[in-house]
C-alpha cells in the first residue's frame, strides 16, 4: 500500500485504464521507528489510489489472510496473483500459472493453494474472512491466566525469583482493588510491570536468537543456502553518528550466534555488579523505572478508593507509553515522567503533597 500510493507509482496510473489490486497490509515505515504514536495513513493512501484509478481498485489485507491460511507470509505473493487473476486482470491461463509454479519447483503445493485462496477471496472476501475469524478466535483469557503466562516468561527471561517479584507485586494490588470490586487496576499493572521488567537488553536479545523457535521460523521461511546477518548497535562498541549522536548499526555475520549462545547463558549477571552492560545509562534507567513503578503502585493501593480509581488506572497504564529503543525510548520516558507527576498530583501523592 505504501509503495502503491507513492508519487512515483501514482504518476504511472491513468484513470479509466489502470486497474489495481492492492495488498492493504499496514507495514510500518521509518516514521513509526521515530514516533511510536505515528498512525498509519491507510484511508489517505487508499483514497489516492482510488482517485488515480477512477475507483477501479480493490484493497485486501492479503498478508494477514495468506499468513493465517498458509502459515507463512511468503504466500502473500501467490495469494495476490490469484486474486488479480480472478478479477480478470492477468492475461494468462490458470494452467499456465500452475505449470510455472511446478517449473519453479519451490513449495509447489503451498503456492498452488495460495493461488486458489486468492481466487476465492476475490470471489467472496467476506466468506474467506469469516473462515479466518473462526479459525483464529481465542477465548478471552482470565486475569489469572494472563499473570501466569507472564510469570512463566519472566522465569525464562531471568529466574524464578525475578518472576516471583512480579507476581507478589500484583498480588498486593489485586488484594487492595478487590475491596472496590474491580480488576482494571490489576490488569493495567500486570501489563505495565511486565513491560518494564522484560526490557530487551543484550541478554534477552541473545536468548531470543538462540531459542529453538527462531531457528524453526527461519527454516520454515527460507529454503536452500542462506546466511544470517545481524544489524546491531552494541552500546559498548557502537560508533555514534557525528550529527545526531545516535549509535550507528553495523552488520555482524553468522559468528554472532556463538556470541549470543554465550550471552544467553550469562543472563544471571543481569543487574549485578558483574553486568558489564548494566552500567550504561539506558540500562540503569530501565531498572530505575521498575523500582519507581513498584513504589508508585504501593503508594496508590495504600489509599485506593472509588473516587481515584480511574486516575490510579491511568497511572498504572503509563509505562505502556514508553516504547522504542535508545534515544526514541528516552524521549518517551521524559514524556511519561511529566504525565506521571500530573497523575500523582491528582491522587494527592505528589512529592510534598
Amino acid at each position: 500500500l505504501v509503495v502503491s500510493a507513492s508519487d512515483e507509482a501514482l504518476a504511472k496510473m491513468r484513470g479509466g485504464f489502470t486497474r489495481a489490486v492492492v495488498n492493504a497490509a499496514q507495514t510500518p515505515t521509518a516514521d513509526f521507528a521515530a514516533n511510536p504514536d505515528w498512525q498509519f495513513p491507510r484511508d489517505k493512501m487508499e483514497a489516492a489510489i482510488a482517485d488515480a484509478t477512477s475507483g477501479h481498485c480493490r484493497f485486501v489485507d492479503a498478508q494477514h489472510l495468506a499468513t493465517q491460511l498458509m502459515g507463512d507470509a511468503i504466500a502473500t505473493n501467490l495469494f495476490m496473483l490469484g486474486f488479480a487473476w480472478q478479477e480478470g486482470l492477468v492475461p494468462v491461463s490458470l494452467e499456465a500459472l500452475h505449470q510455472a509454479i511446478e517449473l519453479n519447483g519451490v513449495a509447489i503445493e503451498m503456492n498452488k493453494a495460495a493461488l486458489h485462496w486468492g481466487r476465492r477471496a476475490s470471489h467472496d472476501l467476506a466468506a474467506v474472512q469469516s473462515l479466518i475469524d473462526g479459525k483464529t478466535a481465542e477465548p478471552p483469557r482470565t486475569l489469572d491466566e494472563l499473570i501466569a503466562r507472564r510469570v512463566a516468561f519472566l522465569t525464562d527471561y531471568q529466574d524464578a525469583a525475578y518472576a516471583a517479584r512480579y507476581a507478589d507485586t500484583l498480588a498486593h494490588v489485586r488484594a487492595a482493588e478487590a475491596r472496590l470490586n474491580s480488576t482494571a487496576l490489576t490488569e493495567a499493572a500486570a501489563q505495565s510491570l511486565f513491560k518494564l521488567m522484560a526490557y530487551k537488553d543484550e541478554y534477552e536479545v541473545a536468548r531470543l536468537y538462540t531459542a529453538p523457535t527462531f531457528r524453526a521460523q527461519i527454516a520454515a521461511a527460507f529454503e536452500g543456502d542462506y546466511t544470517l546477518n545481524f544489524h546491531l548497535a552494541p552500546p559498548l562498541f557502537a560508533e555514534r553518528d557525528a550529527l545526531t549522536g545516535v549509535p550507528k548499526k553495523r552488520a555482524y555475520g553468522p559468528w554472532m550466534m556463538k556470541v549470543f549462545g554465550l550471552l544467553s547463558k550469562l543472563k544471571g549477571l543481569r543487574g549485578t555488579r558483574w553486568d558489564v552492560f548494566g552500567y550504561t545509562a539506558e540500562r540503569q534507567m530501565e531498572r530505575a523505572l521498575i523500582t519507581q513503578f513498584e513504589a508508585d503502585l504501593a503508594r496508590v493501593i495504600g489509599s485506593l478508593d472509588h473516587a481515584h480509581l480511574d486516575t490510579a488506572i491511568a497511572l498504572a497504564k503509563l509505562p505502556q507509553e514508553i516504547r522504542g529503543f535508545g534515544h526514541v525510548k528516552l524521549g518517551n520516558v521524559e514524556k511519561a515522567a511529566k504525565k506521571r507527576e500530573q497523575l500523582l498530583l491528582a491522587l494527592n501523592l505528589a512529592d510534598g503533597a
Side-chain angles (χ1 to χ4, degrees):
L1 184 57
V2 173
V3 175
S4 300
S6 66
D7 292 339
E8 182 179 0
L10 292 174
K12 295 175 174 59
M13 301 180 191
R14 178 152 58 95
F17 181 82
T18 302
R19 302 290 188 271
V21 175
V22 184
N23 177 15
Q26 297 190 24
T27 305
T29 66
D31 294 313
F32 179 76
N35 178 17
D37 293 320
W38 175 80
Q39 298 296 311
F40 190 84
R42 177 172 180 167
D43 292 342
K44 182 179 179 180
M45 290 188 289
E46 289 187 357
I49 296 170
D51 181 64
T53 60
S54 299
H56 294 295
C57 54
R58 290 194 67 181
F59 301 96
V60 55
D61 191 347
Q63 183 171 317
H64 171 70
L65 294 175
T67 302
Q68 293 299 324
L69 290 164
M70 308 304 301
D72 194 332
I74 202 169
T76 304
N77 294 325
L78 269 294
F79 182 96
M80 287 293 291
L81 179 60
F83 196 104
W85 188 92
Q86 193 67 24
E87 295 282 307
L89 304 178
V90 182
V92 177
S93 70
L94 187 60
E95 291 74 14
L97 292 179
H98 284 173
Q99 185 178 11
I101 292 172
E102 292 170 357
L103 287 173
N104 191 47
V106 177
I108 295 174
E109 294 306 316
M110 184 189 78
N111 284 326
K112 283 185 177 180
L115 183 77
H116 287 299
W117 275 117
R119 293 180 58 201
R120 293 183 179 112
S122 169
H123 175 68
D124 192 342
L125 181 59
V128 174
Q129 184 63 60
S130 178
L131 176 65
I132 295 298
D133 292 340
K135 178 181 178 182
T136 59
E138 293 185 4
R141 296 185 181 275
T142 66
L143 179 56
D144 286 328
E145 290 174 327
L146 291 174
I147 293 175
R149 288 180 62 190
R150 286 164 171 77
V151 166
F153 184 96
L154 291 173
T155 301
D156 289 336
Y157 174 90
Q158 180 73 15
D159 53 34
Y162 194 70
R165 174 181 173 183
Y166 171 82
D168 291 344
T169 300
L170 294 180
H172 290 303
V173 175
R174 195 172 188 177
E177 189 182 18
R179 299 194 301 268
L180 307 182
N181 194 29
S182 170
T183 60
L185 176 62
T186 308
E187 291 169 6
Q191 294 178 18
S192 295
L193 183 57
F194 174 77
K195 177 179 177 60
L196 293 176
M197 294 183 71
Y199 59 91
K200 190 171 289 186
D201 60 3
E202 292 74 16
Y203 304 108
E204 177 62 358
V205 169
R207 186 183 74 86
L208 294 174
Y209 274 132
T210 54
T213 51
F214 173 69
R215 281 293 192 181
Q217 290 171 348
I218 293 295
F222 299 97
E223 295 180 340
D225 295 329
Y226 56 82
T227 300
L228 295 178
N229 288 287
F230 304 91
H231 296 264
L232 308 167
L236 299 180
F237 314 108
E239 297 181 22
R240 292 186 176 271
D241 186 278
L243 296 177
T244 65
V246 175
K248 295 192 298 184
K249 289 187 176 181
R250 53 168 292 194
Y252 294 85
W255 59 270
M256 277 301 298
M257 287 299 292
K258 294 182 179 179
V259 178
F260 290 147
L262 174 62
L263 277 178
S264 65
K265 293 180 174 63
L266 298 176
K267 65 180 182 179
L269 299 179
R270 180 187 284 122
T272 71
R273 59 184 296 188
W274 308 109
D275 180 6
V276 294
F277 303 106
Y279 292 99
T280 64
E282 184 173 355
R283 297 292 170 257
Q284 292 181 9
M285 173 194 70
E286 287 165 335
R287 292 201 295 270
L289 286 173
I290 298 171
T291 303
Q292 181 186 74
F293 187 64
E294 291 172 327
D296 285 348
L297 290 176
R299 296 168 70 187
V300 164
I301 63 177
S303 58
L304 188 63
D305 56 29
H306 283 291
H308 297 91
L309 179 59
D310 288 343
T311 306
I313 293 171
L315 180 65
K317 288 183 177 180
L318 194 56
Q320 297 172 40
E321 298 182 15
I322 303 174
R323 290 167 285 179
F325 299 94
H327 66 289
V328 175
K329 184 173 186 176
L330 180 60
N332 288 322
V333 167
E334 294 173 349
K335 292 178 183 177
K338 295 179 181 179
K339 293 183 180 180
R340 172 180 174 269
E341 289 302 323
Q342 295 172 352
L343 291 169
L344 288 175
L345 187 63
L347 290 166
N348 296 318
L349 295 175
D351 294 335

